[in-house]
Amino acid sequence: MRLRSVPLGAAIFCLVAILAALTASVSSFAALRPSNVPDWLQRHVGDGEGQISQVVLERARALYQKKVGDGSVSNPCYFAMDATRPGDLGNSVLGQRYYIVCEAKQLFRAVSSGHGGGRNLKGVADFSNGRRCAKNFGNAMDSELTAGGAYITAETKTSFKGYYRVGAQNAVFMRSFIQFDGEGEAANARQRVIGGHPAALLRGMCLRKDPNSSYADHDGLVPFGKLVNYAGGRSNGCTSWSPADAEQIIPIVKNNPTTLYIYPESRDIAAVARAKAAGQTLSAAGAYWNASCLKEIGSPKFWPKKTLEPIIAQYKTDHPAPPPQPIPMCKDP
């Protein structure tokens, strides 16, 4: 049998086609390979309520493993937050979008958390957020916006805020605050006083005479107020938890720092905005956002500090805050 010679160009074309097919097969296989997320944790991955979306978990795990590897943290647990999910589901039900993961103990817990309320500088710029979903994100000073990215929990400070009434008794309100140290776009977290704390405060403050209190000032006065739980509301850019959840979270990191990854970063916001503008589905664009909130907000926006801080500074100059008023004396005994 006589063998026919094959032109060199045709042979090269066939070789390229074969290599392309092999490359596609390898890529497809790689996409189908199971991730290194353990099976017990993989069961919590998804976009449903109480689940953690794949990209959020992958980035949170990568950050934690990196910081454990370089000796920055040794805490057996780490945190994540998905600020694209709704914070308020209605009927006094809060969305579960803050995650506590302790892999050694095979513990996964999803709890509620507030997002930054932003501000409406009337006539200048509106970067405010509603209670349910966050549309605006940013890292500017005094913006009261959530900034996504990598954080490490730092020191915990607990301070006296005042007294409040519980039935016929007076109770002391102490609130703890966990300082966050951020990286990248979140590197100014300490300057912004961004951290985690219970979503509770005292309102309607007044002063009462109580010289026997260890918290009394030099005039023997102590502050009183009404305790308000705003777990279903917004924060000033911090990560806020219900008081009950805070009691579980704060001891985990007190004197034992760990990582917190908050989604989305500005790159994610830009990817979603581009997909929306092009009429693409997020999956086709390789982007992620909670579908319910995306439908509500239309398209998210990131306000970088270099753009927003001059606007806020000028607004402060044009609208100076009134001088602080002294806390009044309580009218009731």
Side-chain angles (χ1 to χ4, degrees), residues 82-288:
D82 183 352
T84 75
R85 290 177 179 250
D88 187 347
L89 303 180
N91 299 318
S92 300
V93 178
L94 303 181
Q96 298 175 322
R97 55 182 181 170
Y98 190 91
Y99 308 99
I100 306 161
V101 186
C102 308
E103 294 194 19
K105 297 181 180 179
Q106 296 193 9
L107 184 150
F108 175 89
R109 187 180 174 205
V111 301
S112 65
S113 178
H115 59 257
R119 299 173 63 187
N120 182 2
L121 308 183
K122 294 183 179 180
V124 178
D126 184 359
F127 46 94
S128 60
N129 287 317
R131 287 168 56 93
R132 204 180 98 86
C133 297
K135 173 186 176 71
N136 297 295
F137 298 81
N139 57 355
M141 293 287 291
D142 301 321
S143 67
E144 300 182 7
L145 290 172
T146 295
Y151 295 86
I152 293 182
T153 62
E155 69 274 12
T156 299
K157 299 178 181 178
T158 302
S159 56
F160 168 74
K161 298 298 183 180
Y163 286 92
Y164 65 99
R165 299 288 286 182
V166 179
Q169 303 295 319
N170 295 329
V172 175
F173 178 48
M174 306 289 290
R175 195 173 84 160
S176 294
F177 176 83
I178 304 170
Q179 176 66 56
F180 294 165
D181 285 325
E183 298 180 356
E185 291 173 342
N188 62 345
R190 187 171 287 270
Q191 290 75 25
R192 294 183 65 202
V193 196
I194 296 298
H197 58 78
L201 52 75
L202 294 180
R203 284 188 176 148
M205 300 295 288
C206 62
L207 296 174
R208 285 181 178 163
K209 197 79 171 179
D210 189 359
N212 295 324
S213 170
S214 58
Y215 301 106
D217 63 14
H218 62 279
D219 294 321
L221 301 175
V222 292
F224 271 77
K226 180 181 179 181
L227 183 63
V228 176
N229 181 334
Y230 63 95
R234 292 150 291 182
S235 72
N236 60 356
C238 290
T239 301
S240 56
W241 313 289
S242 73
D245 289 330
E247 288 183 2
Q248 303 298 316
I249 293 171
I250 292 173
I252 293 175
V253 296
K254 191 171 184 179
N255 302 319
N256 194 7
T258 193
T259 57
L260 163 64
Y261 179 77
I262 298 180
Y263 184 93
E265 299 178 47
S266 65
R267 56 177 168 147
D268 305 306
I269 295 168
V272 171
R274 284 195 303 268
K276 291 279 289 183
Q280 285 183 296
T281 63
L282 296 193
S283 57
Y288 160 73

Side-chain angles (χ1 to χ4, degrees), residues 2 4 9 13 18 28 33 64-65 98 102 119 124 147 175 203 213 216 248 250 273 284 293-294 298-299 301 310:
R2 185 180 178 184
R4 296 192 307 174
F13 175 82
I18 292 170
S28 299
R33 283 185 304 176
Y64 175 69
Q65 291 170 355
Y98 190 91
C102 308
R119 299 173 63 187
V124 178
R175 195 173 84 160
R203 284 188 176 148
S213 170
Q248 303 298 316
I250 292 173
C293 276
L294 189 60
S299 185
K301 183 173 181 178

